[in-house]
Amino acid sequence: MKYKYINYMILFVTLCVTNFAFSQNPATNSGGQVVTVQPKIMVIPYTREGEDLRTVLEDDPNKRIAITKIKEGFDSRGFTTVDFIAKLKAAKDNHVFTSDNQTDIKSQIIQMSGADVYVQAEVIIDNTSSGNSVKLILTAYEASTGNSLANKVGESGRFYTEDYNKLASKAVESCIQDFLNVMQAKFTDIVNNGKSVIVDISFDAGSQHNMASEIGSDGLPLSDQIEAWMEKNAFKNNYHIQGTTDLKMILDDVKIPLKDQATGNNYNPNKFALELFKFFKGLGLQPAKDVKSSTIYITIK
């Protein structure tokens, strides 16, 4: 039995929302109903070790065909799709890529496309004496946090053909409806309730402050100042404090919106981290920030 593996990534850009008054931060200001729309989808190739995302499609017509068929599968359900090759060419022409690191390149394409969710799609081609088949494995992740959203497996069935174009289409057709139904439900939940980030606040070894330090014009302890800020700035005031000590506070579930409620642009942990950074600066502190996937690290010097 002979196996041939082709891997793909699918990126989703999805869901516009309607703005309503709720909290005091315009960016996270939403307390009403949300209008859900069909997501915009971009299909891009997944690269294994040694492959370059920028060139992986150039010498492999089978990958180009499979990506086109997956894209057409979404089109057939009424979803708007974006041409990855056109986006990649624009990025090259504009010298967008600042690194040869494949993780960085993927992140830059996600940022350029405005993607909210990516779906890793693995297409497995199985050639046997009793016929050939294609299996499609889809797994969806929220782009800015890495949280898993949905997964599905589709199969073409076995046929005496080497037309992988048709086999890939059958595999897509076998699972796309259920997959997108789950995705739509998860998207609606994210739009209505926000997406989760972790906030880790600590102090530099030489810092003169701690969580009990009385800071600000009202002289409240810093831990209370942070909680009051979170109440105003977390999406729909939804946050949870895992624990607080003199030198650390961990909020293990802080909700931020999918879209900036004031502008309609994509909202991500970097933007929330910037607001938190400005909050600490406003208290006269010297914070440093770092964002890794869905975790925001704030260190007070």
Side-chain angles (χ1 to χ4, degrees):
M1 183 179 296
K2 179 182 178 183
Y3 292 89
K4 182 178 180 182
Y5 295 85
I6 307 176
N7 296 315
Y8 299 93
M9 287 276 196
I10 300 176
L11 296 178
F12 284 71
V13 183
T14 183
L15 296 178
C16 297
V17 298
T18 303
N19 295 327
F20 295 89
F22 191 86
S23 69
Q24 296 184 17
N25 183 351
T28 58
N29 178 1
S30 179
Q33 296 179 347
V34 179
V35 177
T36 301
V37 299
Q38 294 281 45
K40 184 185 296 181
I41 301 167
M42 181 169 68
V43 185
I44 73 172
Y46 171 77
T47 54
R48 292 180 289 176
E49 186 175 354
E51 293 181 320
D52 191 330
L53 183 62
R54 295 166 293 187
T55 61
V56 68
L57 294 181
E58 292 179 359
D59 300 320
D60 195 332
N62 287 330
K63 288 186 177 181
R64 293 197 298 273
I65 289 171
I67 284 179
T68 299
K69 286 302 172 182
I70 294 172
K71 179 176 176 291
E72 288 176 357
F74 290 109
D75 287 335
S76 68
R77 275 287 303 270
F79 290 86
T80 302
T81 56
V82 177
D83 189 329
F84 163 71
I85 295 177
K87 288 289 185 181
L88 180 62
K89 183 179 185 302
K92 289 180 177 179
D93 292 345
N94 294 323
H95 305 289
V96 169
F97 300 120
T98 58
S99 168
D100 286 330
N101 184 289
Q102 291 302 304
T103 300
D104 292 342
I105 290 172
K106 186 182 77 173
S107 298
Q108 289 169 44
I109 289 180
I110 291 173
Q111 183 177 7
M112 177 184 176
S113 68
D116 290 317
V117 177
Y118 70 87
V119 177
Q120 179 172 292
E122 182 179 10
V123 178
I124 303 172
I125 299 177
D126 183 8
N127 298 319
T128 71
S129 59
S130 58
N132 301 328
S133 68
V134 166
K135 177 182 290 186
L136 177 67
I137 305 173
L138 298 175
T139 308
Y141 303 91
E142 206 279 311
S144 66
T145 65
N147 293 334
S148 179
L149 296 178
N151 56 77
K152 200 70 179 176
V153 177
E155 297 188 45
S156 66
R158 196 169 296 280
F159 297 89
Y160 288 103
T161 180
E162 293 185 357
D163 189 343
Y164 299 111
N165 184 325
K166 291 183 178 179
L167 293 177
S169 295
K170 286 182 175 293
V172 170
E173 291 166 2
S174 73
C175 69
I176 198 68
Q177 183 170 345
D178 289 344
F179 180 77
L180 292 179
N181 287 342
V182 173
M183 290 296 302
Q184 192 69 67
K186 292 294 182 69
F187 285 144
T188 300
D189 181 68
I190 289 175
V191 171
N192 283 311
N193 300 307
K195 53 189 177 184
S196 297
V197 297
I198 299 169
V199 178
D200 184 315
I201 304 169
S202 61
F203 296 85
D204 187 81
S207 177
Q208 298 179 351
H209 302 285
N210 57 41
M211 285 297 173
S213 297
E214 296 180 357
I215 294 175
S217 59
D218 50 9
L220 291 176
L222 180 57
S223 59
D224 293 331
Q225 296 269 20
I226 294 170
E227 185 166 1
W229 187 89
M230 286 292 172
E231 185 175 353
K232 293 179 180 179
N233 291 272
F235 187 61
K236 294 189 176 180
N237 314 102
N238 194 339
Y239 66 95
H240 179 263
I241 299 175
Q242 177 179 317
T244 304
T245 66
D246 281 347
L247 297 177
K248 183 181 283 286
M249 175 184 284
I250 297 178
L251 298 98
D252 59 342
D253 188 3
V254 178
K255 296 295 187 182
I256 65 174
L258 183 68
K259 299 285 184 179
D260 187 311
Q261 304 299 288
T263 66
N265 296 329
N266 290 342
Y267 197 86
N268 56 46
N270 288 314
K271 293 183 179 181
F272 192 76
L274 177 59
E275 294 299 320
L276 191 54
F277 178 86
K278 291 189 291 187
F279 158 70
F280 284 113
K281 291 286 287 185
L283 291 176
L285 300 174
Q286 295 298 316
K289 67 179 176 68
D290 189 20
V291 181
K292 296 180 180 178
S293 185
S294 60
T295 302
I296 298 169
Y297 297 94
I298 299 290
T299 304
I300 299 174
K301 298 178 181 180

